[in-house]
Each structure stands twice: as structure tokens, then as C-alpha cells.
Amino acid sequence: GWAEDLGKQAPNAKALDWWSYGCVLFQCVCGVPPFRGANEFLTYVNVQKGNPARFPDWWLRENKTPETATARGTAAIAEGALNPSEGSLNPFASAFCDLVWKLLTHDPFARLGSVGGAEEIREHAFFARREKEKE
């Protein structure tokens, strides 16, 4: 029940903002919310349990590296959840998946940005790649 939650340390208030940011990024790219269920109740359950949806198959196919563009590679990617295995996606997509996965981490104390704030997120490989391209 909720009573035992009262004794737990409260996470940084910004941790929820970073979780929301992960939801927005996922929905912008995939067109559906990351915790979408068959109905509102199942969506609620997915949020409570921290069960994000998988990236859609079409997105995974479009973002594969050329060497994994085989039926076997597609199956391997489809078996992965939100965080596909390294090497199966192009570097940009792989960094994006990692960023979203870390922002949607269920534990607010372990979530990217909950300790180091925006600076911690800016240092992620997804944004570091953008900074290198600007130079």
C-alpha cells in the first residue's frame, strides 16, 4: 500500500520532468505514447510498473545499420525492448534509444538527469554527437 511509501526518501522534483521529457521524445519519434496500453487502465498499469512500449518495428527497420539489414537482424532487433542491442542500429538511433531508455527509467533516483540535472543530460552521447557536428 501507500503507507510504506511515506517512509521513503522523496526523489528530486526534476526527476519527473526528465521522465516526461523521455515520454515526449518517444512520442515525437514513434507517434504513440511510450506506455500506451489497449485501454486507459492498461496504460496506467504500464506507467505504474515502468513497462514502456517497444520502439515500433518500422522505426527499428528504418534505423538499422546496413550490415544488419537482414531478416535475422530484424528479428534480433524486434526481440529487444526499448533499448535495442548495440550495433544493430545506426549510431544516432542507438544513442537516441539509450537516451529515452535512461529518461524513462522507473526508479527516479536512477533516472538520467535526476542527480546531475540538465548538464548530465547534455553530456549524453545523443547530444554529444550533435555538439561534435557543430564544430
Side-chain angles (χ1 to χ4, degrees), residues 45-67:
V45 169
N46 287 339
V47 170
Q48 290 299 310
K49 290 186 175 184
N51 295 331
R54 298 152 62 100
F55 278 97
D57 290 339
W58 63 264
W59 189 86
L60 295 170
R61 280 191 306 272
E62 288 180 10
N63 289 289
K64 289 184 295 186
T65 56
E67 56 271 11

Side-chain angles (χ1 to χ4, degrees), residues 31-52:
V32 295
F35 295 94
R36 184 177 183 184
N39 56 43
E40 289 180 14
F41 177 73
L42 293 178
T43 299
Y44 170 79
V45 169
N46 287 339
V47 170
Q48 290 299 310
K49 290 186 175 184
N51 295 331

Side-chain angles (χ1 to χ4, degrees), residues 13-115:
K14 297 281 186 190
L16 181 58
D17 294 340
W18 296 124
W19 181 86
S20 300
Y21 180 54
C23 289
V24 169
L25 288 176
F26 185 94
Q27 188 160 353
C28 285
V29 168
C30 300
V32 295
F35 295 94
R36 184 177 183 184
N39 56 43
E40 289 180 14
F41 177 73
L42 293 178
T43 299
Y44 170 79
V45 169
N46 287 339
V47 170
Q48 290 299 310
K49 290 186 175 184
N51 295 331
R54 298 152 62 100
F55 278 97
D57 290 339
W58 63 264
W59 189 86
L60 295 170
R61 280 191 306 272
E62 288 180 10
N63 289 289
K64 289 184 295 186
T65 56
E67 56 271 11
T68 60
T70 65
R72 184 171 171 268
T74 302
I77 293 169
E79 289 171 10
L82 186 60
N83 194 12
S85 61
E86 288 279 328
S88 60
L89 295 175
N90 66 52
F92 181 75
S94 182
F96 179 78
C97 287
D98 185 65
L99 173 67
V100 171
W101 180 253
K102 289 178 178 176
L103 289 170
L104 294 180
T105 297
H106 190 64
D107 179 3
F109 296 102
R111 188 173 299 139
L112 183 67
S114 66
V115 176

